[in-house]
Amino acid sequence: MKTLKLIVALGLMLLLITSCKHTPDIACTEEYRFVTITVNGAQLDNFYTIRTSNGDTIRHDQEMGLDSNVYVVLTDSYQKNIQNSVENFVFHGLIGDSLVVNEPFVIKADMCHIDYVSGKTEVNL
């Protein structure tokens, strides 16, 4: 009887172990990634990025220690919104009320960070 209980208990434990889906542990680095664009020829008065799929408008402060002609397109702060996908974005730069920069970007994200895929990283006005 003890042997039968032991066999049943081991069988149940084996069934539980094999039926669980194990998600690998991910170790993210401490770096903070961002995608930028350099605008030569004039300083922008306003800028923002639009996520094409849903129209989200994403704004960033210019005070991230970047040169005055380098603008943030997207940062890791948006990573959770696009995790494990590839998305299209459009960077808009304005001088006064005029749209002077209208550049598409493709950006992907994994479990930890965003990554630049394509798009102009420098434009001349």
Side-chain angles (χ1 to χ4, degrees):
M1 190 64 136
K2 275 185 162 181
T3 306
L4 181 60
K5 286 182 181 180
L6 182 60
I7 292 172
V8 171
L10 287 174
L12 286 174
M13 286 180 15
L14 182 61
L15 181 65
L16 287 172
I17 290 171
T18 59
S19 67
C20 292
K21 292 182 180 176
H22 178 69
T23 304
D25 293 329
I26 304 292
C28 295
T29 61
E30 293 292 322
E31 69 185 305
Y32 187 75
R33 294 185 188 173
F34 47 96
V35 175
T36 61
I37 186 169
T38 301
V39 179
N40 298 314
Q43 191 166 358
L44 301 177
D45 294 326
N46 193 9
F47 66 97
Y48 54 90
T49 303
I50 296 177
R51 182 178 176 188
T52 306
S53 65
N54 63 7
D56 274 358
T57 300
I58 306 148
R59 297 183 185 276
H60 299 283
D61 292 331
Q62 185 59 14
E63 300 170 17
M64 295 186 73
L66 301 172
D67 291 338
S68 62
N69 65 329
V70 178
Y71 299 90
V72 176
V73 176
L74 200 68
T75 69
D76 266 348
S77 66
Y78 204 76
Q79 176 271 334
K80 293 246 186 263
N81 297 300
I82 62 171
Q83 185 171 306
N84 296 322
S85 67
V86 178
E87 293 279 339
N88 294 306
F89 295 87
V90 179
F91 177 84
H92 286 176
L94 293 93
I95 296 178
D97 292 333
S98 298
L99 181 65
V100 295
V101 180
N102 184 26
E103 291 298 330
F105 281 83
V106 178
I107 299 171
K108 67 181 180 176
D110 57 19
M111 295 292 292
C112 301
H113 300 288
I114 64 164
D115 282 309
Y116 166 86
V117 176
S118 68
K120 286 185 183 178
T121 57
E122 187 168 353
V123 295
N124 297 312
L125 298 182

